[in-house]
């Protein structure tokens, strides 16, 4: 499971890194970032799903692992 984040859509509400701090971080201005390569670590799947479902801008999504 891997996530991606579209910085052009992100408005910095911060829900992603609050719900899934092992998957998302924040930049200096509070916008969301993907930690590392975006691969969701074991145990963080539920938080990642909640983050994707709760992003008000639909800026984050799951992508198929290649
Ligand atoms: S929840 Fe969505 S809009 Fe908010 S910081 Fe995360 S990616 Fe950006």
């Amino acid at each position: 499971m891997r996530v991606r984040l579209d910085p052009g859509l992100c408005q910095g509400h911060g829900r992603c890194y609050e719900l899934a701090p092992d998957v998302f971080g924040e930049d200096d201005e509070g916008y969301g970032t993907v930690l590392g390569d975006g691969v969701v670590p074991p145990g963080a799947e539920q938080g990642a799903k909640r983050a994707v479902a709760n992003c008000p801008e639909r800026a984050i999504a799951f992508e198929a692992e290649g």
Side-chain angles (χ1 to χ4, degrees):
M1 181 184 281
R2 183 191 294 257
V3 294
R4 59 182 168 80
L5 187 157
D6 185 339
L9 294 175
C10 175
Q11 294 294 321
H13 303 284
R15 294 190 191 166
C16 53
Y17 48 81
E18 288 176 7
L19 291 167
D22 294 333
V23 182
F24 300 100
E26 62 179 307
D27 70 10
D28 291 343
E29 298 179 331
Y31 290 93
T33 61
V34 171
L35 297 178
D37 56 8
V39 174
V40 178
E45 292 91 348
Q46 203 61 37
K49 288 178 184 173
R50 290 177 63 202
V52 169
N54 282 282
C55 173
E57 309 300 331
R58 299 192 184 282
I60 47 182
F62 293 110
E63 62 183 26
E65 288 189 60

